[in-house]
Amino acid sequence: PIDPGAEPADPGADTGPIDPGAEPEDHEADTGPDDPGVDAGPPPSRWITLAGVTNTRDLGGWPVEGGGKIRWRVLARSGELSGIGEAGCATFQEMGLATVIDLRDGSDLNRADAQCVLDQVRYEAASMPKLLPPSADTYTQTLDQSGDSILRIFSLLAEPDALPALFHCVIGRDRVNVVTALIMLALGASRDTVLAEYALSNDIGMNVQDIWIEAVLDQVSNSGGIDAYLGSLGVTAGQL
């Protein structure tokens, strides 16, 4: 479902997570990750069918400040990769990922990501606490208790050759939601856009309530915004 192998039309073109050539008004259209400004036809599917893995989706196509969009096939989110079967492994290989970041902690880490995952990518752990049941309070507690891991995530994603990357927790909901929100804000997405991406989990019956992630967004805003918040954790301007 994902074609990461195309070569940029312009060898000097930007290959980072933002496509500067897209029109922000149309949330479905996309100019593709490799040739900004050129109509590449229908965008890839946001939902990725990865057998044995829950809630897998691409963060591409969402509008950001300045008129660009997050590039397709650069950042993905999902549930754990331990149960991926033969069909899922084939799809995973097609995704062309360079890095997988595991947000799980404690005994959940005993369910190692599948061997086909570990054979293909750079695997990194950035453990965040699993706090249940989900609520506005547990989401902000996750944020408060995960400063070192958030710094690690942004440091990893900023490294050369780290992308495309996927990050996951157990079911691809709470910890992944927090990290997705922070990444999208850092890339210039609006609050409404973050909420729209977050709400997609409801489409597969994985209940999420806006109030949960809004508590995180409010805390970041009250810290002076995403740059100030991440800076307080040690994320540098260069990494952003």
Side-chain angles (χ1 to χ4, degrees):
I2 293 185
D3 177 13
E7 291 296 326
D10 176 6
D14 177 27
T15 57
I18 299 299
D19 179 352
E23 292 296 328
E25 291 78 13
D26 182 356
H27 291 198
E28 295 301 324
D30 183 62
T31 57
D34 298 311
D35 193 2
V38 177
D39 185 359
S45 171
R46 182 167 308 288
W47 290 99
I48 302 168
T49 303
L50 197 57
V53 182
T54 60
N55 205 10
T56 308
R57 58 189 192 251
D58 194 314
L59 298 186
W62 292 105
V64 296
E65 182 180 359
K69 289 187 178 183
I70 300 174
R71 292 180 185 272
W72 290 99
R73 306 189 292 265
V74 171
L75 292 166
R77 50 172 290 171
S78 77
E80 66 183 17
L81 304 176
S82 58
I84 190 170
E86 183 176 350
C89 284
T91 302
F92 185 86
Q93 185 174 18
E94 293 172 9
M95 292 172 71
L97 295 167
T99 307
V100 163
I101 301 176
D102 190 344
L103 309 179
R104 298 175 300 167
D105 72 340
S107 61
D108 290 334
L109 289 170
N110 293 333
R111 298 188 302 275
D113 283 356
Q115 193 61 46
C116 69
V117 172
L118 301 178
D119 287 344
Q120 177 177 322
V121 303
R122 174 186 176 186
Y123 168 89
E124 297 286 352
S127 296
M128 300 170 68
K130 180 169 67 175
L131 302 176
L132 297 172
S135 68
D137 286 342
T138 58
Y139 268 49
T140 55
Q141 289 169 23
T142 297
L143 191 68
D144 291 340
Q145 297 177 30
S146 301
D148 289 345
S149 291
I150 292 167
L151 170 59
R152 177 165 173 74
I153 290 162
F154 277 85
S155 299
L156 288 169
L157 292 177
E159 291 183 6
D161 303 320
L163 303 176
L166 176 148
F167 50 96
H168 75 83
C169 55
V170 175
I171 62 173
R173 189 184 62 183
D174 304 322
R175 287 168 286 189
V176 160
N177 281 337
V178 171
V179 171
T180 297
L182 296 177
I183 289 174
M184 291 184 69
L185 288 175
L187 292 176
S190 69
R191 181 186 182 101
D192 286 347
T193 298
V194 172
L195 285 168
E197 198 289 327
Y198 166 84
L200 289 178
S201 291
N202 288 322
D203 292 353
I204 59 168
M206 188 174 288
N207 174 57
V208 295
Q209 299 178 24
D210 285 357
I211 192 173
W212 302 348
I213 199 66
E214 284 176 338
V216 169
L217 300 178
D218 289 345
Q219 184 159 322
V220 170
S221 178
N222 292 337
S223 299
I226 187 63
D227 289 354
Y229 169 74
L230 293 174
S232 72
L233 301 180
V235 179
T236 67
Q239 289 170 331
L240 292 173

